[in-house]
Amino acid sequence: MSPVTDRLPVFPWDRLEPYKATATSHPDGIVDLSVGTPVDPVPAAIQRALTDAADSPGYPTVWGTVALRDAIAGWVERRLGAREAGHAQVLPVVGSKELVAALPTQLGLGPGDRVAFPRLAYPTYEVGARLARAEPVAYDEDLFADDAKLAAFDPAGLRLLWLNSPSNPTGRVMSADELRRAVAWARRHGVLLVSDECYLELGWDAEPVSVLREDVCGGSFDGLVAVHSLSKRSNLAGYRAAFLAGDAAVLGELLVIRKHSGLMTPAPVQAATVVALGDDTHVAEQRERYARRRAALRGALEAYGFRVEHSEASLYLWATRDEPCWETVGDLAGRGILVAPGDFYGPAGERFVRVAVTATDERVAAAVARLKD
């Protein structure tokens, strides 16, 4: 039996460790702008909901409580502009990364099937395809804005099409028209379209749109699934709180599979998620924090000689000095600043770095000062 890891690339973050050691040796300590993990407190009301539900000795259900399904369905209608989302159209998951990696396998994909994702992308889309022994297929980010590219894109054997808007790592936002074209193309060719929208509430220079918005999907969820996470909007990365919304037939199939697999969101996390989805105030407050940090870092990077491309949404600045990305990583590490090399997200990123805006105000100020020296 061959090891499953033979199908997978080297875990990218391991390659960054020597640069992290260099940055950590800075006299004033590291400014870690690489992974993009939340650093601000979990809102107090969400913490209370978690602790109030701490006495939960029984098994939670995979589908979640009625209150959780109500909260997800209500948020999908209110925030995404979707129509008539009911319990059959929602499904909680144990963090979005688990879902992305496991989805092709849970859908029954295998050898001979193809999984498509953006050429510059979160690497777990490719990992999920490889785990299922399906063929990974990378496409240009502007595929659904370019008639010639779309006409040349081969649907043969394609079973799963990933969209990612706002994009990780580039921050690019697909327009409503691009999303409509993607939906129409996928339906025409019988391809399941799964839209990773985990950064949807973090638009800066553009307003991100969900694939489930009524004027995008035509009021029907058929053939569509949207992926959402509370990690960034609510600082819940440590809770592993996420959910799917979309085609009831697809989610129903996944529900049965996930019941057999025991993939249950812990009961206290379910209770916390209900509160998080019902409160927009803490999301607005967190947006303001990120907006300040983003503006400070962007100004400092541009003054230091970087060009920032896209980055109209999400929690990252996609920046370049027109040099190999590892040279940039090394230079910044020498200043005590750790960033992610662009080639983590595909060969097309080899001259870019991804700079997260998720550090504390104090660490962002330290990075700005170091870039001025």
Side-chain angles (χ1 to χ4, degrees):
M1 188 170 64
S2 62
V4 173
T5 52
D6 285 352
R7 305 177 213 159
L8 304 179
V10 174
F11 187 63
W13 295 100
D14 290 344
R15 296 166 55 200
L16 201 58
E17 284 302 315
Y19 298 89
K20 184 175 183 178
T22 298
T24 301
S25 69
H26 189 279
D28 187 37
I30 188 173
V31 178
D32 193 342
L33 307 178
S34 61
V35 176
T37 189
V39 297
D40 298 303
V42 173
I46 299 174
Q47 292 190 49
R48 284 195 299 272
L50 184 83
T51 56
D52 288 348
D55 186 15
S56 297
Y59 291 111
T61 65
V62 172
W63 202 14
T65 62
V66 170
L68 177 59
R69 283 177 262 146
D70 281 343
I72 296 172
W75 185 89
V76 167
E77 290 188 18
R78 173 173 56 84
R79 181 63 186 85
L80 302 187
R83 186 175 70 180
E84 297 179 358
H87 287 199
Q89 286 83 33
V90 300
L91 179 65
V93 295
V94 192
S96 60
K97 183 170 185 175
E98 166 265 308
L99 183 279
V100 172
L103 185 60
T105 299
Q106 292 180 0
L107 291 172
L109 274 60
D113 296 322
R114 301 165 73 224
V115 176
F117 47 83
R119 195 170 305 282
L120 277 166
Y122 185 46
T124 312
Y125 304 132
E126 179 177 356
V127 166
R130 293 189 180 280
L131 286 172
R133 297 184 185 272
E135 178 189 350
V137 177
Y139 64 82
D140 290 342
E141 279 192 303
D142 63 349
L143 175 65
F144 296 102
D146 188 310
D147 291 336
K149 287 181 180 179
L150 188 56
F153 189 53
D154 184 6
L158 190 63
R159 298 282 306 282
L160 173 60
L161 171 68
W162 282 104
L163 303 183
N164 181 208
S165 176
S167 163
N168 174 16
T170 69
R172 182 182 184 274
V173 173
M174 295 180 69
S175 68
D177 186 57
E178 284 179 278
L179 291 171
R180 278 190 285 268
R181 296 185 75 194
V183 169
W185 186 92
R187 285 174 170 167
R188 186 163 63 249
H189 294 289
V191 178
L192 177 65
L193 188 159
V194 183
S195 180
D196 181 347
E197 302 174 353
C198 288
Y199 295 93
L200 184 133
E201 296 205 88
L202 296 163
W204 313 113
D205 304 323
E207 184 63 36
V209 174
S210 173
V211 75
L212 299 183
R213 199 173 79 176
E214 187 169 359
D215 67 325
V216 170
C217 67
S220 168
F221 292 174
D222 289 351
L224 308 175
V225 174
V227 182
H228 284 271
S229 167
L230 283 76
S231 292
K232 304 303 195 301
R233 71 184 291 280
S234 300
N235 300 330
L236 297 187
Y239 285 43
R240 311 314 300 137
F243 59 89
L244 308 179
D247 190 318
V250 175
L251 298 192
E253 179 76 5
L254 289 174
L255 175 59
V256 173
I257 292 165
R258 295 171 70 85
K259 284 180 178 178
H260 281 292
S261 303
L263 291 168
M264 301 172 283
T265 302
V269 174
Q270 293 189 31
T273 301
V274 171
V275 172
L277 290 175
D279 173 41
D280 293 333
T281 301
H282 78 275
V283 180
E285 291 172 350
Q286 190 60 46
R287 279 178 52 87
E288 286 299 315
R289 294 187 190 104
Y290 285 140
R292 291 195 309 271
R293 295 164 185 169
R294 177 180 179 271
L297 284 169
R298 180 166 192 158
L301 287 167
E302 290 176 337
Y304 191 65
F306 280 93
R307 183 177 73 256
V308 175
E309 294 191 358
H310 294 304
S311 306
E312 56 258 35
S314 83
L315 290 179
Y316 311 106
L317 295 168
W318 188 238
T320 181
R321 292 194 306 187
D322 295 310
E323 65 186 9
C325 61
W326 287 99
E327 289 185 18
T328 308
V329 170
D331 174 65
L332 292 176
R335 293 176 174 268
I337 302 169
L338 189 67
V339 298
D343 67 2
F344 276 13
Y345 308 95
E350 63 185 5
R351 299 180 75 82
F352 286 79
V353 292
R354 193 195 73 170
V355 183
V357 303
T358 54
T360 63
D361 291 343
E362 183 274 331
R363 288 289 83 187
V364 168
V368 170
R370 293 175 194 183
L371 290 171
K372 289 179 179 178
D373 289 342

